Amino acid sequence: MDLNSASTVVLQVLTQATSQDTAVLKPAEEQLKQWEIQPGFYSVLLNIFTNHTLDVNVRWLAVLYFKNGIDRYWRRVAPHSLSEEEKSTLRAGLITNFNEPVNQIATQISVLIAKVARLDCPRQWPELIPTLLESVKVHDDLRQHRALLTFYHVTKTLASKRLAADRKLFYDLASGIYSFACSLWNHHTDTFLQQIFTGDEAAATSSLERTLLSLKVLRKLTVHGFVEPHRNVEVMVSDTCLLDFLDQHPFSFTPLIQRSLEFAVSYVFTEAGEGVAFERFIVQCMNLIKMIVKNYAYKPSKHFEDSSPETLEAHKIKTSFFTYPTLMEICRRLVSHYFLLTEEELTMWEEDPEGFTVEETGGDSWKYSLRPCTEVLFIDIFHEYNQTLTPVLLEMVHSLQGPTNVEDTNALLIKDAVYNAVGLAAYELFDSVDFDQWFKNQLLAELQVSHNRYKPIRRRVIWLIGQWISVKFKSDLRPMLYEAIRNLLQDQDLVFFFNFCSPVDDFEFRTEQFLPYLESMFTLLFQLLQEVTECDTKMHVLHVLSCVIERVNIQIRPYVGCLVQYLPLLWKQSEEHNMLRCAILTTLIHLIQVKYQNLPDTFSHLYILCDILCWLVTLENSPCLTPELLRIFQNMSALLELSSENLRTCFKIISAYIFLSSSEFLQVYSGDLCRSFCELLKDITTEGQVQVLKVVENVVKVNPALGPQMFQPLLPSVFRGIIDGERYPVVMSTYLGVIGRVLLQNASFFSLLLSQMACECGQELLGNMIEMWVDRMDNITQPERRKLSALALLSLLPSDNSVIQDKFCGIINISVEGLHDVMTEDPETRTYKDLQVHSVLLLVQPIAETNKFVYIYRR
C-alpha cells in the first residue's frame, strides 16, 4: 500500500466509518476490514492519528484500528503478520513525539505502545525505555505528561508478564531505573507542594497529575520489580504503596509492620484523626490493619518450632502491638463510633425505605462505603483475638439490658451498633452467650415495642436473630419468632422484610411449626411483591417466597393461585432485568416441584424463551409424558444447533423424555434426534461427544429393541473407535459402554452390525474388538460400568466361535476384576453380595447354565 496515494483513500473511508448513517458506515467498515491485512495499512493509520489537524473522531478511530491490529497481526506467527521492516518503522514513529493534545487519544496511544512493548521490549525495541526516560525530563508540560502516561502503561504491562524469563527482564529493568523513578516522584511531589503554597491552582493541578503518574510507575516497580525488596535499602526507604507491598511481599513488609500499625491505628482509632482523616483514607488504613491481622504469613504453626523465623518475627511484632488496651480501644471505637447509623442513613430510611434497603443489603454505592469495611475489620480482629475481645463486647451488651428510652436517640443508635457487633461475632460467641434466654427475656420484648423511634432496634433484632438462628436457637422458640415476624410484616416495612428469610431457610425449620402462620405470611409477602418497585427488592421478595414454597412443599397449594397469576405479568414487566427473570424462573421451578397444576398458558412459552432448566424440572416432576410435553420437544433441534453452553441440560432433557416414555417419544422423534446427534458429532468437544454417547447408551438401555436401530448411523464410528484404540480414556470408556449395552441387551443387532462392518472393511473384527476391550478395561473407572463391560463380554462365552474361545482367559480376568469392584462381604451371612443389586441378580441368568463360570458368582 503506497503511503502517499493510500492516505487520502484511507482517510476518506475512516471518515465514512464515523458516520451515523448505517448505509455509509457498513461499507466503510467492510473496506477497513479488508485493508487490515494489507502491507502499509498501519503506517497510513499512524500518519492519520498523529496528524493533529484532522477530525478528532477520525483520529480516534484510526488509533483503535491500529491497537486492534497489534493484537491480531503483530506477532510473527500470526496469519498475515506485519513485516519486520514495517514494524520497525511503526515502532520508531510511535515514540517520535509525545505531544498528543487530546487526552482520550493520548491514553489510547499509550496503551497501544504498551501492547507493542509487551511483545517487543526490550529485544526488538531496546530504545523504548531510554526514549521514555529522556522524554519525561523535558520542560514542556504536555510532552512530559504524555511521556509519563506512556511510561506508566509500559511499566504496568511489562510488570504483568509472568514467564520466568520475562520476570527476570523486568527485575533488571526495575533495578536499573528505580532510583530515577524515585527522584521523578520526589521532584513532582515537591513541585506540587510549592505550587500549593504559592496558590497557583492551575499549575498545582497539572503537577498533581504528573505526581500521580510517577507514583503509579514507582508502585509497579516496587511491588513487581524485586524478588526480595527488603534487601534494597532504597525500596524500603521510599515505599509508598503499602497495601500492594504487603500483599505481594509479606516478609519484606515485616520491618514496616510496627510503624504501619501505629500510623493507621492512631488516625482511625484515636483523637489524632478526628477532623483530619477523610473516608477514603480511613478505608485504606482499615484495610492495612486487616491485612496485617489476617495475613497467613504472620501466623505461626500450632507447634512454634515448625514455623519459620520470619513468621515468628512478624508474629512477635503483632503480639507486642495488639495489647489488651489497644484491642479494647479498637473494638469500642469500631462499635460505638463506626457502627453507628448516620443521620443521612436514618433520613434515607424515612424518605425512601426501598432505596435504603437496597443500598444496605449490598447496593453498588454501599459496597464502596466505610460501613462494610468497618464490619469486615471487626470480624477479622474479633476472630483473631476473640479471647481478649469477648469480655469487652459482653460488657457492652450487659450495659444495655432492658428497654431503651425512645427519646434518647444516641442510646438507641448505640444499642443498634452493639447488637450489630453481636450478630457479626455470632460464631465466636457461641459458648459465651445464652441466646435462647436473651431472646425470651429481652429481644422478643424489644420486637414488640411499637414506637416509631424504636424502628432501628426492631430491625436490628430481626437481623440479629437471623445471624444466630443457624448458630444457637432452640426450635421450641420458633413459633414465638414467627408471631413476631408476622406482626412486623403487617407494618409493610421493607427493612424488616429483608431479614425474614433466615428463620425460614435454615436446617432446623419445622413445617408443622410454621403452618399456622403460612397463609397470613404468604399473603403479606405477596402484597409486598406487588407494591415494591425496585428490581432488587422484587428479587429478594421472590427469593423469600421460593424459600417458603420449598420448605412447606404441597402445603402451599391453597395459597399460591394469586402468585401464579401474577408471575406472567411480572415476567412481561421485567423484560430488561435478566436477574429478576431468573428469580421468577426459580419461583416457577419451586411451584412445579410442589406439583402445582394450574399454571397459566403464558408459562408454556417460558420453557424455551427464558431457561431450559424450567423444562428439565417440569420433566423431572411429571408422572407421565403428556401430549403438551411431547409436542414441546420439537424445539430441541433448534436448541442443539444454537449454542454449546446449554448442551448438557439439553441432554438431561432428552434423557428425561427417554425414561418417561421411551417408546412413545422415540416413535415421534427418533429420526430428528439421530440427525441432530450426527450433526453435533461433526464439530463438538470431547466432553460433548461423551455426553451425546451417554444419551445413546440410555436409549439402548431403556429401549433395547428400538434404540440400536434408531442410532445405527452412529454405531459404526463407535465400533471403529474401540478397534482403533481411542486415545482419550473417557471417550474410550463411553464407547465401550455403548457397545456393551448393545451387546448385552440386543445381541442379534450386535451380530448384524458386526457382520455389516466386517463385510465393508473385508476383515475379521470381533477378535480385535475383544482384545482392545480387555486391554483398555482400565479406562473404565466407575464400578457399574466395569460390571456392564464384564457382563457384555461374558455373554459371548456360550458361543462356539473360535475367536471368542481364544479370548477366554482375557474375558475371565477382567470379569473377576469387575466382580472384585462390585462385591462385598455381608457381615451377617458371611457371604458375598453385589453392591449394585438390591434383589436377585437377574443379569447373570442368561449365562448361568454355563457351569464352568458358576464358581465366579459363588465367590
Side-chain angles (χ1 to χ4, degrees), residues 349-363:
W349 187 352
E350 290 297 327
E351 296 178 353
D352 182 15
E354 195 170 347
F356 174 74
T357 52
V358 170
E359 283 209 12
E360 213 238 6
T361 53

Side-chain angles (χ1 to χ4, degrees), residues 630-788:
L630 188 61
R631 186 169 58 250
I632 204 174
F633 191 83
Q634 63 190 350
N635 297 285
M636 180 55 71
S637 295
L639 278 175
L640 292 173
E641 293 172 5
L642 281 175
S643 61
S644 59
E645 58 266 20
N646 291 320
L647 280 181
R648 187 184 295 272
T649 310
C650 288
F651 294 145
K652 289 181 180 178
I653 289 173
I654 295 168
S655 295
Y657 274 97
I658 292 164
F659 290 123
L660 267 178
S661 180
S662 63
S663 298
E664 185 180 2
F665 168 66
L666 293 177
Q667 283 174 4
V668 180
Y669 291 111
S670 60
D672 292 341
L673 198 57
C674 185
R675 281 190 292 273
S676 294
F677 279 9
C678 287
E679 287 299 317
L680 273 176
L681 290 172
K682 291 178 182 178
D683 182 23
I684 198 171
T685 63
T686 300
E687 182 184 2
Q689 185 180 359
V690 169
Q691 295 299 323
V692 169
L693 293 175
K694 283 184 177 178
V695 176
V696 173
E697 183 183 343
N698 282 335
V699 174
V700 177
K701 176 182 179 181
V702 175
N703 198 320
L706 182 59
Q709 297 175 17
M710 168 184 168
F711 288 115
Q712 185 171 1
L714 296 179
L715 294 178
S717 62
V718 175
F719 208 110
R720 282 191 294 269
I722 295 175
I723 294 174
D724 294 341
E726 163 63 42
R727 63 193 183 95
Y728 289 109
V730 177
V731 179
M732 186 62 163
S733 172
T734 312
Y735 283 168
L736 295 175
V738 172
I739 297 300
R741 188 66 67 182
V742 173
L743 171 57
L744 187 63
Q745 297 190 247
N746 194 332
S748 60
F749 180 87
F750 175 82
S751 299
L752 185 65
L753 175 66
L754 186 66
S755 300
Q756 176 189 333
M757 291 192 62
C759 183
E760 289 176 0
C761 66
Q763 66 181 64
E764 192 277 323
L765 299 177
L766 181 59
N768 293 336
M769 182 201 74
I770 297 175
E771 187 173 332
M772 188 58 69
W773 203 327
V774 171
D775 182 61
R776 301 294 290 275
M777 188 72 168
D778 288 340
N779 287 168
I780 307 173
T781 56
Q782 298 119 312
E784 67 275 11
R785 298 182 72 80
R786 291 174 67 85
K787 175 183 174 181
L788 170 65

